Amino acid sequence: MTGTDCGPTGFPARTRPHPHESLVPWGNHLVSMLLLRLTARDLLALHARRRLVPHLAARWVHFGRGESSDGERQAWASSLVSLAEDLVAAERGNVEMIVECSPTVEESETPDADGQIDVVLVGRHPAEGVLSVQLVELKQWSAVTRVEAATADLVYVDGIEDPVKHPALQLSQYHVLFTGPEGPLRGLRFECGGFAYLHNATDESVRPLLGVDAPTGPYAYTYTSDTRDRLLKDLQSHFSAEDDYSAAEYILHRMNLRNTPLLDAMVNSCGEDTVFTLRGRQKKVADDVLEASELILDSPDREAIVPRPQHAVFLVSGGPGTGKSAIGLQLRADLEAAGRTVKYASGSRAFNAAIKESVGYTEAEFRERFAYFSSFVTPPNPPLDVLICDEAHRLRDRTTNYRLPTEKQGTKPQVDELLDASRLTVFFLDAGQTVRPQEVGTAELIEDAARRRDAVVRHYRLTEQYRCGGSDAYLRWARALLGVSAQEPHEWVPDGLMHIEVVDTPDEMEHVVRTEFDAGATARMVAGYCWPWSKPDANKNLENDVRIGGWHRPWNASSESFCANGEPPSRIWPVHDAGIGQIGCVYTAQGLEWDWCGVIMGDDMVWRTDRWVFQRGKQRKDPKAGVMRVAKPGSLDPKVRVSTLDDDEFARCVRHAYHVLLTRASRATVLYSTDEETRRHLRKLVGEVDVHGLRPTQATIPPELRIARNSGAARSRRARRAQSKAKLKNEMMLF
């Protein structure tokens, strides 16, 4: 702000901020890259399909590096493939190759290196059985000459004008970053070394790199085409020929590419304080809100003689898995600990119910901390210090509830009710997840409402995402498939972070999902709203509404209590183990995630020749069964299929619903369409699952990294206190 002394958040230290100031998103940060993670044999299979280089090029663009040059593409096609072929020749095709990565997901602190190492090889040591890691710099150099006679640290390379460092010096920096106190190998038992591989060179042509005065260390080996046989033997000495599970998962976990699921983090912390590790933009948002609370709000320790008049609005937008809910829940805990009056509101009944069920809040504890958007028709008096609004894309034009009397119905825009409820309001939204026509939450709506109140507006955009295994490639693929983005649908390229497969029958989908569930993974089946949704009968039995040929399954129970065969009510279906037998929809899945998710695409969205076709369905009553059945295939969502909704808006709602469903998995999506032509289209884009080791089954995860699935039974306050006491005792024993 021109001419104003600003505090650290952009708010003035002593004077009221300009009412229309808006914070633009951060510029490009040098964040960690990870272009690919596959075993050597899988990488070669991908290359044989001519899909390796295009995938790496797309990832390169995503990380802000621009279009890859011909030289970079040639290096990927040549050097990576050469190394993979050597691993296979050494009978070590099981070794995993993590391509173009840096050791953390924070900004690179490597002063002299580019921040990314060409390849990290990960496996098990054949003798020790511990984690074995080799850091690799791949060079296409064919000849080098020494810059000075006295040192081999700097050399000239044919085709490069300026002198370059000996590769061992680069590797020494990476070795420190990987093995240091903040590196991904901290706390693990491991063997770690490194080498440079110049497969186009001979020993004689790169003699300056091999002299007695060259850098030394466990990372300073250099191999050329002359010493390939020695490389193969050394690879055999570094890595076992067989692995029971993916050793690379340790690295991904320590790089925070495998986040602790949201509800697991809440359970682990007993709901008292969260255990989220906020990073990059996430941490920036949280820090700015906390600093603003100190500058704008009155002290919680004493009553203000003249209350401060400021009102601030923080608007945080981002796609699935960018950490919006993690930021919000962490802020709630931090602000509550600071003595602020704060509530966490959501437009998702399923999300709120899942938190209540998983953490085990009593009704009073839950109401004290959490609310719905519809809870603020009458504003609190005095206003809350902070109101955190998650899933703000689900804001309604008005607060209406047929269960409530007229005086409790909203009379003004719902966004105004939320702004009236607090002094500092934080909104989290994703425009790609609006799935009903009456959902009006947009950045423009919120900004306009805030400015009518003369409030400061800060708008942040989150881009790095940690859902779907951290695979931005999968999110781009899903958005392009559905037409949510402008990108044309394209073939899926396995990246080792996220997995997708297409099946031919719902039985096959259920078998895959249930197999992983039985092995200990979290898993659910979901579907487009293309079948009637019956309430339980008088004896609380569920109707098998979702009917595909001879495969019949019920929707999650439209009930407030457990049903005849132990099926949970819909509000806790996502987190209760007994929910595995029912099918969820977008309204019960939004905001939640599982390791594996089976997605049924119905006849509301089908592929015809070269485009998507969207269809509204009809239902009829089956006189014999006494329940509704499908009369015309298509959408049966009562809020979406109505004739008053135009075709474009109808298509948008259906696309967004499937976008939500396709982004619920953190490891694998199993996709099935009820339409044969659509299945053929999907299979063409996804391809067959014929590459070794790509399916991230529970058995491939190291035992230490498998998260025990919450049984779904809410824990009592006494149980949570006992866990907290035990946790404190264990922490004291460490000192």
Side-chain angles (χ1 to χ4, degrees), residues 427-463:
F427 293 94
F428 297 95
L429 80 159
D430 174 8
Q433 292 195 53
T434 54
V435 295
R436 278 189 166 180
Q438 69 267 41
E439 294 175 349
V440 298
T442 64
E444 293 75 20
L445 175 85
I446 295 168
E447 288 173 338
D448 288 345
R451 285 165 179 157
R452 287 199 305 272
R453 283 165 170 70
D454 205 28
V456 176
V457 180
R458 295 285 186 271
H459 190 178
Y460 300 81
R461 293 179 178 86
L462 303 174
T463 55

Side-chain angles (χ1 to χ4, degrees), residues 37-39 94-98 120-125 129-134 184-185 188-191 238-240 242-255 258 693 699-706:
R37 170 275 193 117
L38 292 175
T39 64
N94 60 300
V95 172
E96 294 173 282
M97 302 173 65
I98 303 177
V120 180
L121 300 180
V122 189
R124 289 279 178 182
H125 195 276
V130 299
L131 184 67
S132 183
V133 178
Q134 288 291 309
L185 297 178
L188 299 172
R189 292 184 60 218
F190 63 88
E191 294 280 343
H238 292 313
F239 300 107
S240 169
E242 295 183 0
D243 284 319
D244 295 332
Y245 43 78
S246 167
E249 282 289 333
Y250 290 109
I251 306 293
L252 300 183
H253 182 76
R254 295 305 182 91
M255 290 172 65
R258 297 292 193 199
T700 65
I701 304 171
E704 306 94 312
L705 300 183
R706 297 173 192 169

Side-chain angles (χ1 to χ4, degrees), residues 306-365:
V306 179
R308 297 177 183 176
Q310 290 100 323
H311 191 157
V313 173
F314 285 79
L315 176 59
V316 186
S317 56
T322 50
K324 300 184 295 297
S325 297
I327 298 170
L329 290 167
Q330 186 67 57
L331 279 173
R332 187 204 64 76
D334 291 343
L335 289 163
E336 188 177 78
R340 301 295 183 186
T341 57
V342 54
K343 278 200 173 182
Y344 190 97
S346 172
S348 171
R349 185 168 177 260
F351 180 81
N352 276 7
I355 288 179
K356 180 181 177 183
E357 174 74 7
S358 296
V359 179
Y361 288 121
T362 65
E363 186 65 31
E365 289 173 329

Side-chain angles (χ1 to χ4, degrees), residues 255-267:
M255 290 172 65
N256 293 311
L257 288 169
R258 297 292 193 199
N259 261 15
T260 300
L262 188 75
L263 292 178
D264 288 319
M266 289 289 287
V267 169

